[in-house]
Each structure stands twice: as C-alpha cells, then as structure tokens.
Amino acid sequence: MAGYILKIVLEDTHPPVWRRVVIPERISFYELHLVIQCFFGWKDCHLHSFSIPQEDIFIDDEEGSGFWNVHYPEETTLVERFFPGYKWIRYTYDFGDDWRHKIIFEKIDESYEKRYAALIKVKGDNFEEDTGGVWTNDWDGGARRPLDVQAVTESLRKLVFPAHEDSGAETESESVYFSDDEEKRMDDFFGDFLDRMDSAFYASSHNHKPSPMALKIESWNQFCEESLQQTEEETLEEPDYVLEIVPGTKSCAELLRALNLQETRDYCKYLQVPYLNSWTKTQMTSAIAQELCSHPEYVLYVLYEEELREYLHLAGLPNGRLEKLPEGDALTKALGIGLADIQVEKRMGKTRATLSFAMDLSPLLCSLPAALRKQTYRDLRSFSERLKMFVLAYGLIDFDSLRGMFQSVYHTVIEPEVFCRYIYWHGRFNDLLQTLYRSDSRKAYAAAIQLDADYIMERVLRYSKDLEYVSFSKKELREMGDGISERSDWAEVLYNILRYRFEFTEVTAGVVLELIFPEIMEGRPLPFVFESVLQMLPEEQELSDFCELWFVLSSLLLELELPMLKGRSRRQYAEEKGISAWDIDMAMAMEEKRPVVYVKECHMYEFDRSIQEMMFQAVGLASEPDIKQLEEYLQKEKIQSEEFLYLLAEANIIGCRFEEADSLIRRLRKSSPRGKKGAEALQEMLETGIDVMDEPEEDDDLFGDDWQPPVSQTYVRETPKIGRNDPCPCGSGKKYKKCCGRGL
C-alpha cells in the first residue's frame, strides 16, 4: 500500500491557511471530502464539489449538465484517476461563502500503510461557517478558531477506508436532444465532416490487402456483434454463438506472424526494436516477442488498467465455455500484440469461437509484480497528460523538438528510445495521436489525432521550414490544451453568436466549435471554415448576423496559434516576416475560387483577399484609408453584395462618417427583404451610437466637453472606440488591452 502527500491550501487567505497531509491510496473523492471536512473543521452542512478548472471537469454528487462540463460521480471515482496526473484539484465547500481549497499533489509515500488520513504540518486557524467567506473574514478579522490538532488526529483515525478497486466508471452526462431541424443539419454536417476524415484513410489503405491479424480481429468483432444482437432479440436454450477457452499451443512469436510485413516493421519501430532490412518477417516477429517477454510491462503500454484487469480475469478462468462475452477492447488489443488467439468457426448453423493465450508471454504478464504494474501506469498517466498538452498546443511537432521542450519544461531527462516507445507503442497504438515521417528531412512528427497532418506538413514546408518552434511555459501549455475557448477570446465570442444570434442550443454551439476547431488548426482558409459553419445554419438568417460571423471568424483565424507556423498566429508570423497576415492562406487560392458574381447574395468571404483585408481593417479599426478605397471599389465594380454594403456602412458609422453610412443604408433599403432588415439594424446603430462590435464600459469619456451631437442623432461617438479585445491600432498585432491599453 501507499499514500499521497498533499498540500491543501484555503485559497485567498492572508496570512495563508494550509494543511500538509497524507491520505491512503485507492479512496474515493467522497472519502477525500470527509477528511477535508475534518482537516479544516467544517461541519458538512453545505454543498461541495471537486473540480479541475483547466479541463472543465467536475467530481461531485450531482448529474452532469452542459456541453462544456465533464462530470464524475464522487462516490465511485478514485483519487488515482486524477492524481498524480494533475498537479492540483480544487475543492469548493459552501457555494454561498465559496470556501475554495487548492489540493496540490506533492509526492507518493510508498511506506504509508494506514487506511486513514493524517496531518503532517499545519498553518493557520480554522474558520467558522456561514461567516461570509474568505474576503469577509480577511477584511474584518472574522470568526476564526484555533485548530485542535489532537482532536483532528483522533477524528481522522476513526475514518478508516477500504482500498477500493477502480470501477472504471464513465462520466455522468445529461442526455442531449435536438429538434428535427437541428438534427437534420447536424447529420448533414457530421456526414460531410466524416467524409473528409475518411477520404485520407481510404486513399492510403484502399489497395492494401488486410493481414491475417486484421482478418482475425474482424472475425472476432463480427462474432461479438452478432452474438449480442441475438441476445437482445431472443433468449435461446442453446445459443447459436458459443465462446470457449482452450489450452494455448502457440508462442507470442508464432501469433505475431499473423501480421503482414509492414505491420511487423511498425511494431519494431513502436517498441524500438532494432532490425536489419535484410531480416525476414519471422526474424522480426521473434525479436518483437523476445522484447515483450523480456519486458512484459510493455504490454501495459497497450492495455489500460481496466483492460489489464479484464485480461487477467480471462487468463485465470478454467478451460471451458464462457457464459458471457468479455467487455471492452481488452481482448481485441491482446489479439493484436500476440498475447491471445481467437479462432472463429461456423458449423451446422452454429458459430464457435475458441480463445487461447500465448504460452510464453501470458504467464509472464499474469505474474508481473503489482508494484511494477502500479509504477508503470503512474509513469504512463503522467507522460500521457504532459504529452497531450504539447500535442494540443502545437498540433504537429517533430520528435526531436518535442523531446527537447518536454525535458526543458518538466526538468527531466528521457532517453530517445524510451521517449519514442512512449509515443509509438502507447500513444500511437492507442490512437492518442498520429505520427508522420518525412523521408526528405528524416524527421518523425507527432500530430493531434483529429488533424490532417499531411495538409499541415505541406504548409510547414511553405512557411516555416527553417523556423524554430515557439516556446511555451508549462502554464501556457496547460491553458492551450484546455480547448479553443482558452486559446482565443474570439472563440468565446463565436460561441455566443451561435447561441444567441443564430439561436443554437448550448450543446449544438459547442459541437460546431469542436468540429471547426481542427479545420482552423490545419490552417484552412476562411471560406472553407465559413462554409463548414454555414452547413449548420438555418437557411434564413439576418444579414447583420452573417456579417458579424465573418468578422469574428476572420479574427479567430488571424489570432489562433497554428501548427503550420510552429506555434505562431498568422499575425505573429506576419509581423516577423513583414507581410500581411491575410497573405497566409486566409483566402482561397485563385484556382480554387468560384467565379464571384457581384450580386446581392454574394458573401463577404468570396471577395478577393485584398478586399477582405481592407474591409476587416475598416470595420475593426475604422481605418479611413481603407474605407475610402472600398468606396472607390464599390463605385468602380458596381458592387451589389448586401454583406459588402452592410459592412461598409457599419465601418462608416464606427468612423463617424454618417452621411456616407446613410447613403449605403438607403441602398440596402432598396434591396431584398433581408437587406431591408439589415438597413433597419444599421439605422438603429446610427441613431443610438451603439457599436455591436464594442464592449460597453462605464465612465468612458469618449466625446470631450465641447462635443455636440448632430441634429439627426441622439447619441453619436466623435472618435472610434477600441474594444479591449480589438487589435491594437499601433499595428503590433496584439490585443489593445495587452499593448497600448495596458493601463485600462
């Protein structure tokens, strides 16, 4: 047995209040809640919850709600699920007073054998409940009472907990329902998305004959599917599908010969087994089997903890018929690595599957020391969490750079072979990431599983082949790995537009963001991303909403850090190179563009790149030179596009060019019904002076003492307002609040 040493800090206390404690392993979060109550003298009279803010994960006794939250039941979720993978977890008690505790994981005490928690060191008094929280107590002295260490110790010794087995409980989530119209749009969107995802796989595998190993796994999966289907339909006295365990007669090396030549080479690479090009497949499979038998803990890289328990359970059963099928992917993975064998035969209307285990490797795995298993899984969890942050932050990164930054950020040393084995044999085998090898540079790359790595690589070679990767701190990596909403404020703006302008449900808006995020990370141009969103929109939408969507998507594409630029945003890269950010794959290439007909239905994203850039500057910064050029372009090309007219009118309003704006509004009134509604929105903006792209702030002296509004308007701004999250007009490419507006 072992224990976890934690430092539990009551947040925002001055002077600080904290407890360094040790808790036994394999306790639930509910049991951790009980001991925290004891540590701080709480009376357990209020609600509480555990959370991991950086992942939007909650562990509590409530049902999950909302797309953005992931919930685990505290009574069945063990602390091992998150410790030591996460450095800290928050515990909140009394949502009114909001007592927040930061639970910091420090280390594992292998010598701790007690089944109750204990205090190691304490600092600070306890607080009385229902006194208003930390801030009230810190300001007025509050109601504090000394900590009675002896009484706490005695209470803790009465809280003896058994060592639970991890049930592998899935997260609790609320059922999601869509309207008929929403469901149809979702189906169409998902269909197109999956078609694009499948096309790359189909192109790479279409002409390859399945290996005997693949056919074996396919026959087993089909057996399971048909057996379960028959079980659901009817109950037979003598089932048509029978699974039996029989004595094993083959070694791991013999079972691995069912791989084809390429799969065998891949396994050598995954396990970092050296081989010669002249070797036969038999020689390579023997080397792989020898490596696995010498290091049976490598099997744990492939089988998760619950899968290992399922496998050990099966391997410990006597020979004979099984009454029910094994659960999960344990057996499928065991087949793939030569740990087990399945033979499926059909005779006289019945299907019989016989299961056997490798004669040499299976006994070694069954006798693997528990301490080694435990340590291996701890190392895997820790490495996986850290690797996940790098892959999500960079999207695509070569192994050498990844290993160098990994060691620098986490102050550790990992041998290249060990590092590659973690990535390939654990990460790649379990589809946690994808890998790519470039023969021209002799470099291997790791990439997020949902990204088109080949597409990104083409653009890396075009833009950033000779550039170094941007370095991120540990904090930045964790924030970037938390999702698109943490990477850019514009993602939150986009989410709100989908929710409140286009009236999406919370779930649908979240799903759309999740689906377009890979397209943005791949560096896809604005029209490609915009049309992906359009597939989810109802046919009839307000002109003002479409125009704002164009501006927000453009801002998001310009601001987000991209794999093809090695961690730079388009703006950052453009600043380094002295070019326009709009020149970096923001618009479709000429050969990809559809002929643009300047009619009222023409979308803004269909215009030439230079026109879109000018419009973006005009709307975002009220750039007068851009506004004037756009007006000249409007007259010269006789533009009829309602989106163009709307955005140009909005830019004129923001730039306080009211006569020009009024002229454009009159043109929109003579257009389609959709254009007329857009004109009404602009007229309201003109009359009230409210800029929909701004964030209203209190006590802003925008006009000066001598300002007088025009007779036709009741409220007008003399100078354009710059929002906190708008691009800084100095041209730095940073947000205003992080550049010239730091003093706001």
Side-chain angles (χ1 to χ4, degrees):
M1 305 302 289
Y4 296 140
I5 295 178
L6 311 173
K7 182 178 181 181
I8 307 178
V9 182
L10 193 55
E11 296 184 49
D12 302 314
T13 50
H14 305 283
V17 175
W18 53 264
R19 315 280 185 256
R20 179 169 284 112
V21 305
V22 57
I23 64 170
E25 66 174 352
R26 310 207 72 78
I27 66 171
S28 70
F29 274 93
Y30 174 71
E31 291 164 337
L32 179 57
H33 151 70
L34 295 178
V35 298
I36 293 176
Q37 290 284 309
C38 192
F39 290 145
F40 289 88
W42 302 124
K43 299 176 182 178
D44 202 7
C45 298
H46 300 278
L47 297 174
H48 69 275
S49 74
F50 294 89
S51 64
I52 304 177
Q54 59 267 33
E55 296 284 359
D56 238 359
I57 292 174
F58 287 82
I59 308 110
D60 51 28
D61 58 356
E62 302 291 329
E63 292 187 356
S65 61
F67 177 79
W68 299 105
N69 298 336
V70 180
H71 282 250
Y72 290 83
E74 65 174 18
E75 291 190 353
T76 57
T77 303
L78 304 190
V79 294
E80 278 77 12
R81 184 172 287 270
F82 299 104
F83 284 143
Y86 289 87
K87 187 62 179 175
W88 67 275
I89 291 176
R90 174 171 288 143
Y91 170 77
T92 304
Y93 175 64
D94 186 353
F95 299 148
D97 285 358
D98 196 31
W99 301 101
R100 295 188 300 172
H101 310 65
K102 193 172 187 178
I103 308 170
I104 303 169
F105 175 84
E106 292 192 335
K107 64 179 180 179
I108 297 173
D109 182 357
E110 297 287 356
S111 63
Y112 193 77
E113 297 182 351
K114 300 179 178 64
R115 293 308 305 169
Y116 55 82
L119 284 168
I120 298 176
K121 189 174 182 180
V122 303
K123 185 171 184 179
D125 297 331
N126 288 339
F127 288 88
E128 294 286 355
E129 299 202 23
D130 301 314
T131 55
V134 167
W135 299 109
T136 301
N137 282 273
D138 273 2
W139 279 107
D140 64 9
R144 301 194 184 207
R145 51 190 171 84
L147 172 67
D148 187 339
V149 175
Q150 183 176 355
V152 171
T153 301
E154 292 176 357
S155 298
L156 289 171
R157 287 177 177 173
K158 297 176 182 178
L159 293 174
V160 178
F161 306 114
H164 302 293
E165 290 296 325
D166 191 355
S167 63
E170 297 295 329
T171 61
E172 297 286 343
S173 60
E174 146 181 342
S175 299
V176 177
Y177 298 97
F178 301 99
S179 66
D180 292 341
D181 180 59
E182 215 170 33
E183 187 170 1
K184 181 180 183 303
R185 287 186 277 122
M186 289 287 286
D187 289 342
D188 293 341
F189 189 91
F190 272 109
D192 291 341
F193 176 78
L194 293 175
D195 286 345
R196 292 197 300 271
M197 293 294 290
D198 289 342
S199 61
F201 172 78
Y202 180 81
S204 64
S205 62
H206 178 58
N207 295 319
H208 294 282
K209 182 180 178 181
S211 67
M213 180 72 77
L215 293 174
K216 183 191 301 183
I217 293 174
E218 182 182 351
S219 67
W220 163 244
N221 290 334
Q222 184 177 355
F223 174 88
C224 293
E225 183 179 344
E226 293 175 354
S227 177
L228 290 172
Q229 183 178 358
Q230 184 189 72
T231 303
E232 293 173 358
E233 291 176 353
E234 57 182 334
T235 303
L236 302 177
E237 293 183 3
E238 185 64 30
D240 293 336
Y241 295 87
V242 178
L243 174 62
E244 292 182 335
I245 296 180
V246 299
T249 59
K250 294 181 179 180
S251 66
C252 176
E254 291 174 310
L255 294 176
L256 287 172
R257 288 171 195 165
L259 300 169
N260 62 28
L261 183 59
Q262 184 58 51
E263 290 169 339
T264 308
R265 288 173 176 165
D266 286 343
Y267 276 39
C268 287
K269 178 175 67 174
Y270 290 178
L271 274 168
Q272 295 294 287
V273 175
Y275 69 94
L276 301 176
N277 289 331
S278 60
W279 278 15
T280 64
K281 188 176 74 171
T282 301
Q283 288 175 305
M284 285 188 283
T285 52
S286 297
I288 295 169
Q290 183 177 352
E291 185 76 5
L292 289 175
C293 290
S294 300
H295 298 278
E297 68 273 15
Y298 290 167
V299 172
L300 277 56
Y301 288 37
V302 175
L303 298 180
Y304 293 121
E305 286 184 87
E306 60 272 16
E307 293 170 342
L308 177 65
R309 283 195 293 271
E310 178 67 19
Y311 174 82
L312 294 177
H313 169 71
L314 292 171
L317 293 176
N319 296 332
R321 179 171 158 181
L322 293 180
E323 295 300 326
K324 68 177 208 175
L325 294 175
E327 298 179 356
D329 295 328
L331 199 48
T332 303
K333 289 183 178 181
L335 295 174
I337 60 175
L339 195 57
D341 188 28
I342 282 280
Q343 298 295 328
V344 180
E345 297 178 330
K346 293 186 178 181
R347 292 182 181 178
M348 301 179 65
K350 293 188 180 295
T351 304
R352 181 173 179 264
T354 55
L355 167 64
S356 60
F357 303 100
M359 296 174 59
D360 47 358
L361 181 56
S362 184
L364 291 173
L365 186 60
C366 292
S367 60
L368 197 65
L372 180 57
R373 293 207 312 260
K374 187 183 301 183
Q375 186 60 49
T376 301
Y377 278 126
R378 283 174 183 160
D379 293 343
L380 284 170
R381 282 195 297 268
S382 176
F383 182 86
S384 295
E385 288 298 326
R386 293 172 175 180
L387 178 64
K388 173 187 173 184
M389 290 189 292
F390 274 97
V391 172
L392 290 177
Y394 288 97
L396 181 143
I397 182 171
D398 71 79
F399 279 18
D400 292 337
S401 300
L402 174 59
R403 177 171 163 266
M405 288 189 286
F406 190 99
Q407 293 183 130
S408 175
V409 169
Y410 292 105
H411 309 291
T412 186
V413 177
I414 304 180
E415 294 299 323
E417 295 80 7
V418 176
F419 189 77
C420 289
R421 192 178 296 118
Y422 273 128
I423 289 181
Y424 279 124
W425 190 239
H426 174 62
R428 184 66 187 88
F429 198 101
N430 285 293
D431 284 331
L432 303 179
L433 50 79
Q434 55 178 318
T435 54
L436 178 71
Y437 180 75
R438 295 287 302 187
S439 57
D440 52 355
S441 61
R442 294 187 176 182
K443 285 186 177 181
Y445 293 81
I449 196 69
Q450 69 270 33
L451 300 182
D452 185 339
D454 290 322
Y455 182 90
I456 296 172
M457 199 66 231
E458 291 175 5
R459 278 139 189 83
V460 169
L461 298 176
R462 181 191 304 176
Y463 293 112
S464 58
K465 180 180 179 181
D466 299 322
L467 292 179
E468 296 292 329
Y469 287 92
V470 175
S471 296
F472 298 116
S473 67
K474 187 189 302 183
K475 180 180 179 181
E476 289 172 326
L477 287 170
R478 186 170 289 281
E479 289 176 350
M480 294 173 73
D482 287 343
I484 186 172
S485 61
E486 297 298 324
R487 299 178 74 122
S488 171
D489 293 335
W490 288 109
E492 190 68 25
V493 176
L494 175 58
Y495 175 79
N496 288 327
I497 289 175
L498 295 173
R499 285 278 287 118
Y500 304 111
R501 292 295 192 88
F502 295 103
E503 298 182 347
F504 280 20
T505 65
E506 182 179 337
V507 172
T508 307
V511 169
V512 173
L513 273 185
E514 291 294 324
L515 288 174
I516 67 169
F517 182 52
E519 296 177 348
I520 298 174
M521 287 290 289
E522 289 166 1
R524 303 281 181 177
L526 175 59
F528 188 96
V529 178
F530 202 113
E531 290 186 356
S532 291
V533 179
L534 283 184
Q535 293 180 58
M536 280 298 298
L537 299 181
E539 294 182 4
E540 296 297 329
Q541 287 295 334
E542 299 293 339
L543 177 60
S544 58
D545 296 341
F546 262 77
C547 291
E548 187 167 0
L549 182 61
W550 170 82
F551 185 86
V552 172
L553 277 176
S554 300
S555 302
L556 184 56
L557 266 64
L558 290 169
E559 183 175 293
L560 204 66
E561 299 88 355
L562 300 177
M564 70 180 189
L565 304 178
K566 295 187 176 179
R568 298 165 178 81
S569 69
R570 284 182 169 94
R571 280 206 177 102
Q572 292 170 325
Y573 180 86
E575 185 178 353
E576 287 184 23
K577 297 294 184 180
I579 61 174
S580 167
W582 283 79
D583 286 334
I584 311 168
D585 276 7
M586 274 293 285
M588 288 288 193
M590 292 302 296
E591 62 271 13
E592 297 174 319
K593 289 175 63 176
R594 300 189 302 269
V596 175
V597 180
Y598 297 117
V599 295
K600 60 180 180 294
E601 294 84 9
C602 180
H603 292 297
M604 192 63 228
Y605 67 81
E606 295 178 294
F607 283 84
D608 290 340
R609 177 206 57 76
S610 59
I611 301 300
Q612 292 191 65
E613 182 177 10
M614 283 191 287
M615 187 65 79
F616 185 83
Q617 294 291 106
V619 175
L621 300 174
S623 169
E624 188 168 347
D626 289 309
I627 292 175
K628 289 182 176 180
Q629 287 190 57
L630 289 168
E631 289 175 339
E632 292 175 3
Y633 179 75
L634 171 69
Q635 299 300 324
K636 179 181 177 181
E637 300 294 339
K638 297 180 174 57
I639 305 300
Q640 301 297 318
S641 167
E642 292 177 341
E643 290 186 23
F644 185 98
L645 295 173
Y646 182 97
L647 286 163
L648 186 55
E650 183 181 21
N652 275 299
I653 294 173
I654 296 172
C656 302
R657 295 163 51 90
F658 304 113
E659 291 183 6
E660 292 83 352
D662 188 63
S663 175
L664 292 166
I665 292 172
R666 288 198 301 271
R667 287 189 60 175
L668 277 173
R669 284 201 183 98
K670 298 176 183 179
S671 188
S672 68
R674 184 167 177 263
K676 291 177 182 178
K677 289 185 178 180
E680 292 174 4
L682 288 167
Q683 187 64 40
E684 182 180 357
M685 189 190 309
L686 186 64
E687 292 175 354
T688 62
I690 297 174
D691 177 9
V692 296
M693 302 303 292
D694 288 343
E695 299 176 3
E697 299 176 25
E698 297 180 0
D699 302 326
D700 281 343
D701 184 11
L702 301 175
F703 310 107
D705 296 334
D706 57 349
W707 175 81
Q708 293 294 329
V711 175
S712 58
Q713 285 88 33
T714 58
Y715 177 85
V716 184
R717 191 164 54 241
E718 281 287 289
T719 57
K721 179 181 176 182
I722 304 171
R724 292 171 179 265
N725 292 314
D726 289 343
C728 189
C730 72
S732 66
K734 300 179 181 178
K735 295 179 183 179
Y736 180 61
K737 67 182 180 183
K738 294 183 179 179
C739 189
C740 300
R742 284 179 180 149
L744 291 175

